Structure formats: structure tokens, C-alpha cells
Amino acid sequence: MKDRNQNESCEASGTDEKFMRQAIKQAKKAYALDETPIGCVIVHEGKVIGRGYNRRNTDKSPLAHAEITAIRKASRKIGDWRLEECTLYVTLEPCQMCAGAIIQARIPRVVVGCMNPKAGCAGSVLNLLHVERFNHQAELTTGVLEEECSGMMKQFFKELRARKKREKGKN
Ligand SMILES: [Zn+2]
């Protein structure tokens, strides 16, 4: 126990990468459905208790974001709407809805893969995780496996553009 604090910082990044890889695995499920590849896992006491990936088009729902699904599943698993002592890992910076849900769920720590300059609400457009006037703030770590996460997005949009171009050519 006495070495815990000493070890925590160097172990933290390895653990973060391990769980970010699981979030990437979720993002690939979205990719397989031609959805923007965004994935999320929620970890409690070293175990994944909720997983989610973007299904916005598949479910025809603006609420079908990776984080919302993962939060719903984690809450069901824990039997409480409060996800205290959990860490949320997400491949892309959360939007305003998801950052709001993170605060509502009292999640104390969020780990982000790559940023979303045009829509992110964990530091890009806004930082809803660090508003002091709210009753809860979440600790934030960004840039974990960033290249892998952003590479996945770039690949998806590149293919999408190519597909649109091909479809346009047909007409
Ligand atoms: Zn979202």
C-alpha cells in the first residue's frame, strides 16, 4: 500500500491505453455499420462495466452516442444513476449532450482519445466538464492513443467522401 502513490502515475498511462484500446474496439463496431467510429467504455474497479458505440444512423436517434449507451449500461450494472468512482474512456471528445450526461452521472474522470475542434465540449468549443458553478466537475485526460483515434476518423471520412463522389458520378 505504501508504494501506491508512487506507482500510480507511471501505471496510469498504461492503464489508460489499455482501456482506450477497448473503446477503440467499440468504435470499430460503429465503423462496421458505416457509422462515424466513436467508442466508449466505462471502468469501475479495474473492470469494464459499460460499453457503447455510435449508432446514430442505425438507430435513427440523436441520442445514440457511444457515451450515452455506455452510461446507461454502466448505471444498470451498478444499480445506481451515480457513477462515482468510475472512469469514462471515449475515442473522441464528448459533445455537449454527452459532457452533460457525464456531469449528471457524477463521473469523476474522463479520458479522451482525440479532440473534436468543431463540436467538442471538453475543451474545444466549451469545457462543460470544468464549469465551477455546476455541482460536479470531472478530471480530464486527453490525447490517449490520439493518433489511432483520429486516424480512424480520418479514414472513415476519407472513405465517405470517396463513396459520395462515386454515387454522384453514377447519377
Ligand atoms: Zn455525444
Side-chain angles (χ1 to χ4, degrees):
M1 199 64 189
K2 66 177 179 345
D3 290 326
R4 195 164 170 245
N5 285 339
Q6 210 180 325
N7 291 335
E8 224 160 37
S9 61
C10 59
E11 275 173 19
S13 67
T15 306
D16 283 352
E17 288 189 4
K18 175 182 141 190
F19 288 120
M20 188 57 78
R21 273 187 216 294
Q22 299 220 27
I24 290 171
K25 212 167 142 187
Q26 292 300 308
K28 286 181 176 166
K29 291 186 182 180
Y31 185 86
L33 294 173
D34 286 334
E35 297 270 7
T36 310
I38 305 160
C40 176
V41 297
I42 295 175
V43 174
H44 181 248
E45 292 176 345
K47 279 194 190 134
V48 174
I49 58 161
R51 296 176 178 81
Y53 57 93
N54 176 34
R55 294 177 55 95
R56 197 165 54 172
N57 287 320
T58 307
D59 292 351
K60 298 184 173 44
S61 168
L63 309 176
H65 286 196
E67 301 94 312
I68 301 294
T69 304
I71 287 172
R72 190 181 288 136
K73 288 185 178 170
S75 294
R76 198 178 299 152
K77 182 103 182 182
I78 283 206
D80 195 340
W81 59 268
R82 293 176 202 85
L83 297 177
E84 287 160 349
E85 296 163 27
C86 289
T87 301
L88 181 143
Y89 293 83
V90 63
T91 57
L92 182 72
E93 182 185 2
C95 71
Q96 65 273 52
M97 171 178 72
C98 295
I102 286 163
I103 296 303
Q104 290 298 328
R106 311 281 190 266
I107 293 171
R109 182 164 182 254
V110 175
V111 180
V112 170
C114 62
M115 299 304 269
N116 188 1
K118 287 182 187 162
C121 287
S124 289
V125 177
L126 294 172
N127 191 344
L128 290 175
L129 303 182
H130 290 164
V131 179
E132 298 223 336
R133 291 176 67 195
F134 287 147
N135 59 351
H136 178 82
Q137 293 82 34
E139 191 194 311
L140 176 66
T141 303
T142 58
V144 174
L145 299 182
E146 184 172 14
E147 280 180 28
E148 239 173 282
C149 293
S150 68
M152 213 163 37
M153 296 288 282
K154 281 178 192 150
Q155 178 71 17
F156 173 80
F157 287 111
K158 194 176 142 192
E159 286 172 9
L160 188 70
R161 278 194 301 273
R163 196 161 58 214
K164 278 189 175 161
K165 210 172 162 185
R166 272 199 308 275
E167 280 165 13
K168 223 176 167 183
K170 275 184 207 160
N171 297 331

